[in-house]
Amino acid sequence: MEIVRRFLVLAPVALVVGAAVFLGSYVLAGSGDFGLLETGLALVVAFLAAAVVLAVVLVAVGVLRLAGVRSAWAALGLAFGLVVVVLGIIYAGIAMSMQPGDPGFNMSLLMTAAGVQIPTWLTFAVGLLIGDRRNRAARDAAVSPTA
């Protein structure tokens, strides 16, 4: 349960980071101005990316729990591997179905789906790293003798 709690705590942070990155990329792409519609779109895209990643991570936690592994890092790695395999299968299906005159719209959707997940994966990894360092520092402070 501790591992699930760690990821659930990081999910809102991943949502904010994903929305900020999406809005930042929109502004840098040259549009310049953004309003309520673009902000809402960024929140929806970031929410979907965070939800998909969180769902896959929770599935990985469950699978690893059945195997007796209790590691947040293992769950994150397995979830990332699962997403890469699924996106690879989708990529192969799209690449095989493309006609010579096809502009690749489906491919651009796939690339966008993969790209919007990057801030979420990085937020989860950095959050786990910070949590592990904080726990190690607290453990070392509790064990070290005070003179």
Side-chain angles (χ1 to χ4, degrees), residues 100-121:
D102 192 7
F105 179 73
N106 290 336
M107 193 65 75
S108 67
L109 286 178
L110 178 67
M111 297 303 287
T112 302
V116 298
Q117 292 180 8
I118 292 171
T120 304
W121 289 110

Side-chain angles (χ1 to χ4, degrees), residues 1-135:
M1 195 62 181
E2 157 95 21
I3 297 170
V4 172
R5 185 185 59 79
R6 289 179 75 179
F7 286 112
L8 289 176
V9 166
L10 290 172
V13 177
L15 174 64
V16 170
V17 169
V21 168
F22 189 78
L23 278 175
S25 66
Y26 181 78
V27 170
L28 290 176
S31 181
D33 59 331
F34 60 92
L36 187 59
L37 179 66
E38 289 81 10
T39 305
L41 177 65
L43 287 174
V44 168
V45 168
F47 177 76
L48 289 175
V52 166
V53 172
L54 181 63
V56 174
V57 166
L58 294 180
V59 167
V61 167
V63 168
L64 289 175
R65 186 176 291 156
L66 291 175
V69 177
R70 307 243 190 275
S71 170
W73 287 102
L76 189 66
L78 178 61
F80 186 74
L82 289 173
V83 168
V84 167
V85 167
V86 168
L87 288 176
I89 291 170
I90 294 170
Y91 173 79
I94 290 172
M96 291 179 72
S97 69
M98 286 179 67
Q99 302 300 322
D102 192 7
F105 179 73
N106 290 336
M107 193 65 75
S108 67
L109 286 178
L110 178 67
M111 297 303 287
T112 302
V116 298
Q117 292 180 8
I118 292 171
T120 304
W121 289 110
L122 292 176
T123 302
F124 281 165
V126 169
L128 289 178
L129 182 63
I130 290 171
D132 288 348
R133 304 250 331 175
R134 186 183 65 222
N135 290 341

